[in-house]
């Protein structure tokens, strides 16, 4: 690869730190550590290890529609405190819209 960067998604409990090391050795430069939007704390070890490995480290909060914005922001701040370079709040349910 000359211009593109390879990235991977890791879900703690399914993917392990050893898996992360393996994909890093295969050329992955960015890792997205994904958790349910209420469980950022399970990503602490993975995010910290990814940063120590020099990976561009992204926190990835899934099913964001299940949290109020303030609680979602708290979870994102946890991922930031573990070392995430940025945090994505994602939702595949199609209902993440402001409520009246």
């Amino acid at each position: 690869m000359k211009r593109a960067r390879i990235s991977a998604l890791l879900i703690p409990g399914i993917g392990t730190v050893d898996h992360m090391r393996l994909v890093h050795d295969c050329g992955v430069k960015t890792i997205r550590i994904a958790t349910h939007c209420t469980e950022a704390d399970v990503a602490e070890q993975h995010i910290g290890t990814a940063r120590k490995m020099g990976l561009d480290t992204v926190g990835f909060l899934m099913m964001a529609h299940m949290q109020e914005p303030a609680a979602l922001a708290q979870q994102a701040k946890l991922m930031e405190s573990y070392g995430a370079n940025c945090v994505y709040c994602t939702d595949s349910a199609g209902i993440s819209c402001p409520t009246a």
Side-chain angles (χ1 to χ4, degrees):
M1 306 221 19
K2 295 184 181 181
R3 295 186 332 178
R5 291 176 56 120
I6 300 171
S7 64
L9 179 87
L10 183 139
I11 300 173
I14 297 172
T16 66
V17 169
D18 288 335
H19 291 126
M20 190 167 44
R21 288 187 180 106
L22 176 66
V23 298
H24 181 256
D25 292 344
C26 291
V28 166
K29 301 294 183 203
T30 300
I31 191 89
R32 291 176 180 86
I33 310 296
T35 70
H36 188 272
C37 65
T38 62
E39 299 176 347
D41 60 320
V42 301
E44 182 175 10
Q45 176 188 18
H46 297 81
I47 290 172
T49 301
R51 285 301 301 271
K52 288 177 187 168
M53 293 170 56
L55 290 165
D56 176 30
T57 306
V58 177
F60 200 89
L61 294 169
M62 301 184 294
M63 298 183 66
H65 72 280
M66 298 189 73
Q67 283 274 47
E68 293 296 322
L72 194 58
Q74 276 187 314
Q75 294 294 303
K77 286 180 181 181
L78 278 178
M79 287 185 157
E80 178 188 34
S81 75
Y82 304 149
N85 298 105
C86 72
V87 178
Y88 296 164
C89 297
T90 64
D91 184 72
S92 60
I95 58 174
S96 280
C97 59
T99 57

